[in-house]
Amino acid sequence: MRLTGVERLTRISVRGVVQGVGFRPFVYRLAQEHHLKGWVRNTSGSVEIEVEGDNGSLDRFLNALETQAPPMARIENIEVASYPARGYTDFQIEPSLSREGEYQLVSPDIATCEDCKTEIFSTADRRSGYPFTNCTNCGPRFTIIEDIPYDRPKTTMRQFQMCPRCQREYDNPLDRRFHAQPNACPECGPKLELVGSDGRTVECEDVIKTASRLLKEGKILAVKGLGGFQLACDATSDEAINLLRDRKRRRSKPLAVMIGTIEGIKEHCLVSAEERKLFESPQCPIVLLGWKQDSNIAKAVAPNLKYLGVMLPYTPLHHLLLKECRLPLVMTSGNLSEEPIAKDNDEALRRLKGIADYFLLHNRGIYARYDDSVSMVEGAPQVIRRARGYAPYPIFLPFKAKPILACGAELKNTFCLTKDEHAFLSQHIGDMENEETLEHFENTIQLYKKLFRVEPEIVAYDMHPDYLATKYAIDVAAKEGLKTVPVQHHHAHIVSCMVENNAKGPVIGVALDGTGYGSDGTIWGGEFFIADYRSFKRLGHLEYVPLVGGEAAIRKPYRMALSYLYTLFGEDFSLEGLPLERLDSAEIGIIKQQLRQKINSPPTSSAGRLFDAVSALVGVRGEIDYEAQAAIELEMLAPDETRVEPYPFAIVEQGGVRVVKLKELFSSIVQDVKSKTPVPIISLKFHHTVAKVIAEMVIAIAKETGLLKQVALSGGVFQNRLLLKLAGSALRREGLDVLSHHLVPTNDGGISLGQAVIANFVDN
Ligand code: ZN
Ligand code: ZN
Ligand code: FE
């Protein structure tokens, strides 16, 4: 029987993202509402609450605590204990308590909320037009935090003394800015400054108006955003975009566009309900959208692509700028190609000097570099580049992990630190091909170790001996006496997919990507495994062909096309009637010699290279200037709803594994090219073929191994939306449970998560 009217004391401990998100004021209001007495406080590890009142009120309070939590709060776990009442007379917010060794989750930066937006756009508000407006529901977080507990003196906001009005908001539990650490206003907060490329201030009345005029004139602006600088220019101007491309040394890699409102986006792109949800989420990432033919955004923004990377403004500065200039703006990372994004004013002035005409600066410091995140919706949303809005929020593990540092791969690097049930997957670090990126990687590891109090005992890394991340891992382990666990690249892909889907395995893993170091020293990339967290067995792969010229074969897909043709049909194969016949005959001679004598031509089973080869063979792209360009452009050509027959191929047993033989595939494509079958149809037939290869291999493995029902799809090739859709439905038709990526990238940005999990289980 339930007693009513009897006072009880309930002690509650809430874990998750519950600090810096307005949780205490929420608890305060809730306690008032339910007439409960007691207190709430932050500790290093959780939010603690003591409330007393009658049972009914306590139940309603507990229920509301979970169901009505502020938008950015993420409750991971609530512990409740009941005691006799103590006789509290009021409800208070108590001072924070710091406990040695405890840590808390840190909120990512959050896109400007509706309330703050209303304020900056209203003429009467004291924050009208103020580009650094924020509240407990929005604004910078991770990028300004130097340590925990999250309080203003431990952020880059400490240099700004709050004015009396801001202080009153900050101190008032009923105010939307109660303990909003970056709270600021035009009187006391950060300020904008417009500077020329010579570093001199541009004197003007209104910085936003002047910046907007410059953009309309076709100038390139470096804009200091949340986690670093962005380069902005008019997205409807070919001239401005070509200038930016020249200066940034980025010939054709697609650029992201920022558009002021959802309605504005709809003028240029198709927006599904799922995609709209992403724009309206606090993360507010770049979303890859279907690009309308009649959009006046210049084709040079994303040459040959049918998807456009679009984002909404996510800081007040962006909102004000976009509203003022009323143009879609290219908004791309402020860096020279391949380098990390610039974050400090003097650094930007130095590094972006030759790129930007003007610099839109401010004096709020950025502590952590933080790129824009990129997502797409194919069936369900999935993140392709995970940074702003997502990191450093952890991926939750279905087990308690040892403290591990996993160093990730080479391209699109992220690292991962584990502790308890948390995998702290870092924000996108970049391509680890230069000193600057390595330094960014090392600094960010230090930051995460400090924020989350992780002292790794094990270091996991990719088996590729030349990766900078691998070298770093081996170095650190030697210096600090840590255990090391080398992890095979595709095993890490599959496990990363399993973990985010909460699957313990074993599963059938299909890992398709460009390059990964195989356990046998060859280059893998078209792999069919049985895998769990501990180990994997390679049960099949695409047939090997020479990667003729090594790196050169990746930059020049026509080399892969020739490698397939001469390997499958002999070196007398005639190129007549194929786009390849226009190649320089001297170079063809050299390639044949390289193949014959096996000079710098390691064998590869890479699926990425197969797509490259087909793209070059049908004349879509023979040379690339960004990763996967040939494959992407091939995918773009395929029409949506056309019925086609896949090409033939064979699966044969070789040395105990299944090998996908591609001779018939290539001879059929050659025939189609010669008989002038439209390239879009060839592309579609090819995609259907790869989907069928996947389905047949998986079914054969499922039969051979018995009861396996789950298939994990991972690797960069699954960023190909058409392939993901075709393969997914082919497998589902066979009754298989298909796991794909959503929370972490399917590309190498997800590798470190898999590495960490494998290291946790291998080390025993
Ligand atoms: Zn807000
Ligand atoms: Zn103020
Ligand atoms: Fe990979």
Side-chain angles (χ1 to χ4, degrees):
M1 198 179 75
R2 169 160 281 179
L3 298 171
T4 50
V6 177
E7 299 276 301
R8 296 278 307 163
L9 169 77
T10 298
R11 185 177 295 158
I12 305 162
S13 163
V14 189
R15 291 189 61 99
V17 177
V18 285
Q19 299 191 16
V21 291
F23 202 77
R24 285 173 305 165
F26 156 70
V27 172
Y28 181 89
R29 281 192 297 270
L30 212 57
Q32 304 283 355
E33 204 177 295
H34 295 278
H35 310 289
L36 300 172
K37 314 275 189 260
W39 50 261
V40 56
R41 73 177 172 208
N42 280 346
T43 74
S44 327
S46 61
V47 167
E48 291 177 349
I49 306 165
E50 278 198 9
V51 275
E52 56 185 42
D54 64 73
N55 278 331
S57 304
L58 286 172
D59 282 353
R60 285 190 292 277
F61 173 86
L62 267 174
N63 182 40
L65 198 62
E66 282 189 78
T67 55
Q68 297 169 22
M72 280 317 293
R74 301 229 216 163
I75 297 175
E76 191 189 317
N77 153 34
I78 299 185
E79 275 172 41
V80 181
S82 205
Y83 302 92
R86 285 190 181 170
Y88 288 114
T89 54
D90 58 359
F91 192 89
Q92 291 203 344
I93 295 176
E94 302 250 296
S96 299
L97 194 71
S98 176
R99 289 199 189 110
E100 188 66 28
E102 283 197 351
Y103 68 105
Q104 62 195 220
L105 303 185
V106 170
S107 168
D109 290 23
I110 306 154
T112 309
C113 74
E114 284 303 317
D115 291 339
C116 287
K117 222 167 95 185
T118 307
E119 286 178 355
I120 60 166
F121 285 139
S122 81
T123 45
D125 197 273
R126 72 187 192 96
R127 289 189 173 85
S128 166
Y130 184 57
F132 305 97
T133 303
N134 64 81
C135 72
T136 43
N137 293 327
C138 76
R141 294 288 185 277
F142 171 62
T143 56
I144 59 168
I145 296 179
E146 296 176 15
D147 202 356
I148 53 161
Y150 171 56
D151 281 319
R152 190 152 167 135
K154 286 182 176 166
T155 72
T156 61
M157 281 300 291
R158 67 170 160 264
Q159 54 163 314
F160 300 98
Q161 173 87 46
M162 271 184 274
C163 70
R165 288 218 267 181
C166 287
Q167 188 69 50
R168 271 201 298 278
E169 295 166 341
Y170 184 91
D171 291 333
N172 176 7
L174 296 177
D175 194 282
R176 166 162 91 73
R177 299 196 162 92
F178 176 72
H179 281 215
Q181 307 303 346
N183 189 25
C185 78
E187 213 175 294
C188 64
K191 289 187 174 37
L192 286 181
E193 186 186 8
L194 188 64
V195 164
S197 58
D198 55 2
R200 288 207 193 128
T201 306
V202 177
E203 297 299 340
C204 56
E205 256 196 18
D206 186 323
V207 168
I208 299 276
K209 276 202 173 113
T210 313
S212 151
R213 180 176 51 79
L214 291 167
L215 286 164
K216 282 187 192 156
E217 286 169 7
K219 298 286 191 289
I220 296 168
L221 260 67
V223 179
K224 189 177 186 182
L226 268 181
F229 277 78
Q230 292 166 311
L231 291 161
C233 73
D234 178 357
T236 63
S237 158
D238 276 303
E239 226 181 310
I241 292 155
N242 290 330
L243 193 64
L244 174 63
R245 286 198 176 281
D246 273 358
R247 292 184 185 169
K248 200 172 140 77
R249 283 185 241 150
R250 177 157 160 164
R251 259 204 347 239
S252 48
K253 193 172 175 188
L255 303 164
V257 173
M258 186 179 273
I259 300 177
T261 59
I262 295 251
E263 289 63 43
I265 292 175
K266 284 181 172 166
E267 287 173 27
H268 302 279
C269 296
L270 304 167
V271 185
S272 70
E274 281 289 337
E275 288 161 343
R276 189 185 175 113
K277 266 193 227 156
L278 285 172
F279 285 123
E280 286 167 348
S281 71
Q283 290 79 21
C284 199
I286 295 172
V287 184
L288 299 180
L289 299 176
W291 190 1
K292 288 185 182 170
Q293 288 289 335
D294 61 354
S295 153
N296 71 338
I297 290 173
K299 293 282 172 271
V301 168
N304 303 325
L305 304 189
K306 63 178 179 188
Y307 299 114
L308 188 64
V310 183
M311 66 187 127
L312 280 177
Y314 53 84
T315 70
L317 174 58
H318 290 119
H319 276 293
L320 293 164
L321 193 60
L322 267 288
K323 181 150 192 195
E324 181 62 35
C325 77
R326 294 177 189 282
L327 278 174
L329 295 178
V330 163
M331 200 59 83
T332 185
S333 326
N335 56 10
L336 204 59
S337 285
E338 269 70 69
E339 288 179 2
I341 184 168
K343 75 175 176 68
D344 301 324
N345 290 352
D346 50 345
E347 179 198 2
L349 283 165
R350 180 167 37 82
R351 283 177 48 201
L352 306 178
K353 195 178 168 58
I355 306 178
D357 300 306
Y358 293 90
F359 291 78
L360 184 48
L361 306 177
H362 61 71
N363 55 349
R364 186 176 70 201
I366 297 173
Y367 195 68
R369 284 177 221 274
Y370 205 42
D371 291 85
D372 288 315
S373 293
V374 183
S375 290
M376 67 178 194
V377 178
E378 184 57 58
Q382 61 168 290
V383 65
I384 297 170
R385 182 166 76 190
R386 188 180 178 275
R388 176 178 55 78
Y390 299 96
Y393 193 65
I395 307 296
F396 288 94
L397 301 170
F399 54 87
K400 209 169 155 98
K402 300 169 191 172
I404 296 166
L405 167 65
C407 293
E410 179 95 329
L411 298 179
K412 302 179 171 70
N413 177 278
T414 62
F415 63 83
C416 183
L417 279 162
T418 52
K419 181 168 180 166
D420 303 331
E421 290 86 17
H422 301 133
F424 296 102
L425 183 65
S426 76
Q427 73 268 35
H428 167 82
I429 300 289
D431 295 346
M432 294 270 277
E433 295 173 325
N434 54 57
E435 277 302 312
E436 291 80 3
T437 311
L438 182 63
E439 202 184 308
H440 175 29
F441 170 81
E442 295 186 16
N443 292 340
T444 311
I445 290 178
Q446 294 314 322
L447 175 63
Y448 275 62
K449 279 171 67 175
K450 183 172 75 175
L451 285 182
F452 303 113
R453 311 290 196 250
V454 192
E455 270 317 315
E457 290 164 9
I458 304 167
V459 183
Y461 55 87
D462 194 279
M463 285 177 170
H464 200 304
D466 298 332
Y467 282 0
L468 282 183
T470 298
K471 290 179 178 167
Y472 169 87
I474 292 171
D475 256 26
V476 162
K479 258 187 227 143
E480 297 176 16
L482 310 175
K483 287 188 244 178
T484 53
V485 178
V487 177
Q488 201 280 322
H489 187 92
H490 303 96
H491 186 207
H493 267 307
I494 297 301
V495 169
S496 123
C497 180
M498 291 169 64
V499 166
E500 73 151 287
N501 285 288
N502 237 317
K504 296 195 172 73
V507 301
I508 300 172
V510 182
L512 305 185
D513 68 356
T515 304
Y517 196 82
S519 322
D520 58 0
T522 64
I523 301 166
W524 294 6
E527 309 307 314
F528 297 83
F529 290 171
I530 291 286
D532 60 19
Y533 292 166
R534 204 177 300 268
S535 64
F536 71 96
K537 198 170 170 202
R538 191 187 195 203
L539 291 182
H541 57 83
L542 297 184
E543 86 174 285
Y544 280 110
V545 289
L547 186 68
V548 61
E551 279 294 310
I554 299 173
R555 285 194 312 275
K556 297 176 175 175
Y558 64 77
R559 287 181 154 261
M560 281 317 297
L562 294 175
S563 178
Y564 269 103
L565 295 176
Y566 295 141
T567 305
L568 297 172
F569 306 110
E571 70 168 62
D572 294 331
F573 181 84
S574 161
L575 302 177
E576 217 184 295
L578 297 175
L580 295 170
E581 74 178 322
R582 290 190 290 272
L583 289 173
D584 178 46
S585 59
E587 191 181 358
I588 293 181
I590 294 169
I591 291 172
K592 282 186 179 176
Q593 193 182 8
Q594 284 179 321
L595 287 171
R596 211 180 301 132
Q597 300 175 355
K598 300 192 168 67
I599 304 165
N600 191 18
S601 298
T604 183
S605 55
S606 161
R609 298 294 89 78
L610 170 63
F611 275 81
D612 283 359
V614 172
S615 180
L617 173 61
V618 301
V620 171
R621 180 155 295 276
E623 290 185 64
I624 61 166
D625 57 56
Y626 64 88
E627 198 202 356
Q629 185 181 10
I632 291 169
E633 292 186 359
L634 182 68
E635 177 201 350
M636 293 300 120
L637 290 175
D640 280 339
E641 310 282 336
T642 314
R643 277 186 157 265
V644 292
E645 273 302 303
Y647 291 115
F649 59 89
I651 295 175
V652 302
E653 181 102 19
Q654 267 178 8
V657 300
R658 291 185 165 78
V659 177
V660 183
K661 296 296 229 177
L662 300 166
K663 190 170 178 173
E664 289 167 279
L665 167 73
F666 273 88
S667 68
S668 309
I669 294 178
V670 165
Q671 258 171 33
D672 266 0
V673 175
K674 286 185 175 169
S675 65
K676 306 258 179 324
T677 304
V679 173
I681 297 299
I682 301 181
S683 168
L684 187 64
K685 285 166 84 173
F686 172 67
H687 279 82
H688 275 274
T689 313
V690 178
K692 192 176 171 195
V693 165
I694 294 170
E696 286 196 7
M697 287 290 271
V698 167
I699 291 155
I701 292 171
K703 280 193 181 133
E704 176 188 315
T705 51
L707 298 164
L708 290 176
K709 274 274 173 213
Q710 277 185 324
V711 189
L713 306 179
S714 189
V717 169
F718 286 108
Q719 248 171 264
N720 183 320
R721 291 162 76 156
L722 177 58
L723 179 68
L724 180 63
K725 187 168 75 178
L726 294 175
S729 53
L731 292 166
R732 277 183 210 104
R733 265 200 307 275
E734 297 293 334
L736 290 146
D737 176 16
V738 181
L739 311 177
S740 59
H741 284 278
H742 303 288
L743 308 177
V744 307
T746 190
N747 58 50
D748 285 4
I751 285 278
S752 59
L753 174 64
Q755 289 175 342
V757 172
I758 293 165
N760 186 72
F761 284 88
V762 165
D763 173 75
N764 254 331

mmCIF file of all heavy atoms in Angstrom, residues 709-724:
data_model
loop_
_atom_site.group_PDB
_atom_site.id
_atom_site.type_symbol
_atom_site.label_atom_id
_atom_site.label_comp_id
_atom_site.label_asym_id
_atom_site.label_seq_id
_atom_site.Cartn_x
_atom_site.Cartn_y
_atom_site.Cartn_z
ATOM 1 N N LYS A 709 23.288 -14.424 -38.894
ATOM 2 C CA LYS A 709 22.169 -13.685 -39.461
ATOM 3 C C LYS A 709 22.515 -12.217 -39.664
ATOM 4 O O LYS A 709 21.837 -11.496 -40.369
ATOM 5 C CB LYS A 709 20.961 -13.783 -38.503
ATOM 6 C CG LYS A 709 20.127 -15.023 -38.722
ATOM 7 C CD LYS A 709 19.101 -14.777 -39.811
ATOM 8 C CE LYS A 709 18.348 -16.041 -40.181
ATOM 9 N NZ LYS A 709 17.996 -16.049 -41.601
ATOM 10 N N GLN A 710 23.556 -11.762 -38.948
ATOM 11 C CA GLN A 710 23.866 -10.329 -38.987
ATOM 12 C C GLN A 710 25.002 -10.037 -39.949
ATOM 13 O O GLN A 710 26.022 -10.711 -39.947
ATOM 14 C CB GLN A 710 24.254 -9.843 -37.591
ATOM 15 C CG GLN A 710 23.045 -9.516 -36.746
ATOM 16 C CD GLN A 710 23.427 -8.921 -35.416
ATOM 17 O OE1 GLN A 710 24.427 -9.300 -34.831
ATOM 18 N NE2 GLN A 710 22.623 -7.995 -34.933
ATOM 19 N N VAL A 711 24.821 -8.989 -40.768
ATOM 20 C CA VAL A 711 25.870 -8.549 -41.685
ATOM 21 C C VAL A 711 26.219 -7.110 -41.354
ATOM 22 O O VAL A 711 25.333 -6.254 -41.286
ATOM 23 C CB VAL A 711 25.377 -8.559 -43.147
ATOM 24 C CG1 VAL A 711 26.541 -8.316 -44.089
ATOM 25 C CG2 VAL A 711 24.675 -9.837 -43.469
ATOM 26 N N ALA A 712 27.499 -6.839 -41.140
ATOM 27 C CA ALA A 712 27.937 -5.463 -40.898
ATOM 28 C C ALA A 712 28.611 -4.926 -42.152
ATOM 29 O O ALA A 712 29.527 -5.544 -42.688
ATOM 30 C CB ALA A 712 28.905 -5.419 -39.717
ATOM 31 N N LEU A 713 28.123 -3.773 -42.640
ATOM 32 C CA LEU A 713 28.703 -3.151 -43.826
ATOM 33 C C LEU A 713 29.536 -1.956 -43.380
ATOM 34 O O LEU A 713 29.036 -1.058 -42.714
ATOM 35 C CB LEU A 713 27.605 -2.671 -44.775
ATOM 36 C CG LEU A 713 26.551 -3.696 -45.205
ATOM 37 C CD1 LEU A 713 25.526 -3.041 -46.136
ATOM 38 C CD2 LEU A 713 27.207 -4.893 -45.891
ATOM 39 N N SER A 714 30.808 -1.945 -43.755
ATOM 40 C CA SER A 714 31.641 -0.821 -43.352
ATOM 41 C C SER A 714 32.720 -0.546 -44.387
ATOM 42 O O SER A 714 32.935 -1.338 -45.304
ATOM 43 C CB SER A 714 32.268 -1.100 -41.972
ATOM 44 O OG SER A 714 32.906 0.050 -41.483
ATOM 45 N N GLY A 715 33.389 0.588 -44.236
ATOM 46 C CA GLY A 715 34.426 1.002 -45.180
ATOM 47 C C GLY A 715 33.931 2.155 -46.035
ATOM 48 O O GLY A 715 32.728 2.310 -46.268
ATOM 49 N N GLY A 716 34.866 2.957 -46.504
ATOM 50 C CA GLY A 716 34.550 4.182 -47.236
ATOM 51 C C GLY A 716 33.670 3.982 -48.458
ATOM 52 O O GLY A 716 32.919 4.883 -48.838
ATOM 53 N N VAL A 717 33.747 2.807 -49.081
ATOM 54 C CA VAL A 717 32.950 2.573 -50.292
ATOM 55 C C VAL A 717 31.447 2.658 -49.979
ATOM 56 O O VAL A 717 30.652 3.006 -50.839
ATOM 57 C CB VAL A 717 33.333 1.217 -50.937
ATOM 58 C CG1 VAL A 717 32.347 0.825 -52.029
ATOM 59 C CG2 VAL A 717 34.743 1.289 -51.511
ATOM 60 N N PHE A 718 31.073 2.399 -48.721
ATOM 61 C CA PHE A 718 29.648 2.476 -48.370
ATOM 62 C C PHE A 718 29.165 3.911 -48.168
ATOM 63 O O PHE A 718 28.010 4.136 -47.814
ATOM 64 C CB PHE A 718 29.330 1.586 -47.164
ATOM 65 C CG PHE A 718 29.331 0.128 -47.529
ATOM 66 C CD1 PHE A 718 30.348 -0.709 -47.109
ATOM 67 C CD2 PHE A 718 28.333 -0.385 -48.348
ATOM 68 C CE1 PHE A 718 30.355 -2.045 -47.478
ATOM 69 C CE2 PHE A 718 28.339 -1.723 -48.721
ATOM 70 C CZ PHE A 718 29.354 -2.562 -48.284
ATOM 71 N N GLN A 719 30.026 4.878 -48.413
ATOM 72 C CA GLN A 719 29.531 6.248 -48.528
ATOM 73 C C GLN A 719 28.792 6.413 -49.858
ATOM 74 O O GLN A 719 28.105 7.398 -50.082
ATOM 75 C CB GLN A 719 30.702 7.230 -48.474
ATOM 76 C CG GLN A 719 30.697 8.063 -47.221
ATOM 77 C CD GLN A 719 31.964 8.872 -47.087
ATOM 78 O OE1 GLN A 719 32.900 8.471 -46.413
ATOM 79 N NE2 GLN A 719 31.999 10.023 -47.754
ATOM 80 N N ASN A 720 28.991 5.447 -50.738
ATOM 81 C CA ASN A 720 28.276 5.389 -52.008
ATOM 82 C C ASN A 720 26.823 5.021 -51.697
ATOM 83 O O ASN A 720 26.509 3.906 -51.317
ATOM 84 C CB ASN A 720 28.941 4.324 -52.890
ATOM 85 C CG ASN A 720 28.322 4.226 -54.270
ATOM 86 O OD1 ASN A 720 27.101 4.307 -54.430
ATOM 87 N ND2 ASN A 720 29.169 4.034 -55.266
ATOM 88 N N ARG A 721 25.950 6.012 -51.845
ATOM 89 C CA ARG A 721 24.568 5.841 -51.404
ATOM 90 C C ARG A 721 23.819 4.829 -52.240
ATOM 91 O O ARG A 721 22.986 4.083 -51.736
ATOM 92 C CB ARG A 721 23.855 7.195 -51.422
ATOM 93 C CG ARG A 721 24.384 8.109 -50.351
ATOM 94 C CD ARG A 721 24.028 9.552 -50.600
ATOM 95 N NE ARG A 721 22.645 9.837 -50.290
ATOM 96 C CZ ARG A 721 22.203 11.061 -49.983
ATOM 97 N NH1 ARG A 721 23.046 12.079 -49.944
ATOM 98 N NH2 ARG A 721 20.946 11.261 -49.737
ATOM 99 N N LEU A 722 24.117 4.825 -53.522
ATOM 100 C CA LEU A 722 23.446 3.874 -54.403
ATOM 101 C C LEU A 722 23.823 2.451 -54.014
ATOM 102 O O LEU A 722 22.967 1.571 -53.883
ATOM 103 C CB LEU A 722 23.831 4.182 -55.859
ATOM 104 C CG LEU A 722 23.267 3.244 -56.920
ATOM 105 C CD1 LEU A 722 21.741 3.215 -56.882
ATOM 106 C CD2 LEU A 722 23.760 3.652 -58.311
ATOM 107 N N LEU A 723 25.112 2.228 -53.800
ATOM 108 C CA LEU A 723 25.561 0.886 -53.437
ATOM 109 C C LEU A 723 24.985 0.471 -52.089
ATOM 110 O O LEU A 723 24.526 -0.667 -51.916
ATOM 111 C CB LEU A 723 27.095 0.825 -53.389
ATOM 112 C CG LEU A 723 27.634 -0.557 -53.001
ATOM 113 C CD1 LEU A 723 27.353 -1.579 -54.093
ATOM 114 C CD2 LEU A 723 29.115 -0.511 -52.690
ATOM 115 N N LEU A 724 25.004 1.381 -51.128
ATOM 116 C CA LEU A 724 24.482 1.066 -49.797
ATOM 117 C C LEU A 724 23.016 0.640 -49.889
ATOM 118 O O LEU A 724 22.581 -0.333 -49.275
ATOM 119 C CB LEU A 724 24.640 2.286 -48.880
ATOM 120 C CG LEU A 724 24.133 2.131 -47.451
ATOM 121 C CD1 LEU A 724 24.916 1.047 -46.715
ATOM 122 C CD2 LEU A 724 24.248 3.451 -46.685
#
